[in-house]
Amino acid sequence: IAAVTTAGPRTIREFGDPDTQEGARRIDALSPHRQLLPGVPQPAFLIMSGANDYTIPLWMGGKFVAAARNANQNAAVLWRVDWNAGHS
């Protein structure tokens, strides 16, 4: 995330530096993508994204939706995009 979003550099103190072993471990443990295990039952998801969010790009929500749908094709995974919303 640090390399691809404007929020990246300021999140290193909070989540960890992906260039260090400890930081990469912490980020990996926090990653919702890593919690999606193929074939493991999961609850329904409603992912909400603001198209004008300056810190979290719209594609990040789409990437999670695709991963969740791929991991368990029987779970309901919905994605709501508010085209007028931003980070706040």
Side-chain angles (χ1 to χ4, degrees), residues 61-71 77:
K63 186 176 176 181
F64 181 79
V65 168
R69 287 178 177 169
N70 188 50
V77 181

Side-chain angles (χ1 to χ4, degrees), residues 42-55:
Q42 61 192 26
F45 287 106
L46 172 58
I47 307 302
M48 297 173 63
S49 300
N52 297 309
D53 189 330
Y54 60 90
T55 60

Side-chain angles (χ1 to χ4, degrees), residues 3-72:
V4 295
T5 73
T6 58
R10 71 171 183 254
T11 62
I12 288 176
R13 282 183 302 192
E14 184 176 356
F15 299 115
D17 185 343
D19 294 330
T20 67
Q21 186 175 8
E22 175 62 16
R25 185 197 62 75
R26 288 179 59 201
I27 292 168
D28 193 52
L30 290 169
S31 171
H33 290 267
R34 299 294 188 187
Q35 307 305 316
L36 297 171
L37 303 174
V40 174
Q42 61 192 26
F45 287 106
L46 172 58
I47 307 302
M48 297 173 63
S49 300
N52 297 309
D53 189 330
Y54 60 90
T55 60
I56 303 170
L58 189 58
W59 63 263
M60 288 182 139
K63 186 176 176 181
F64 181 79
V65 168
R69 287 178 177 169
N70 188 50
N72 190 337

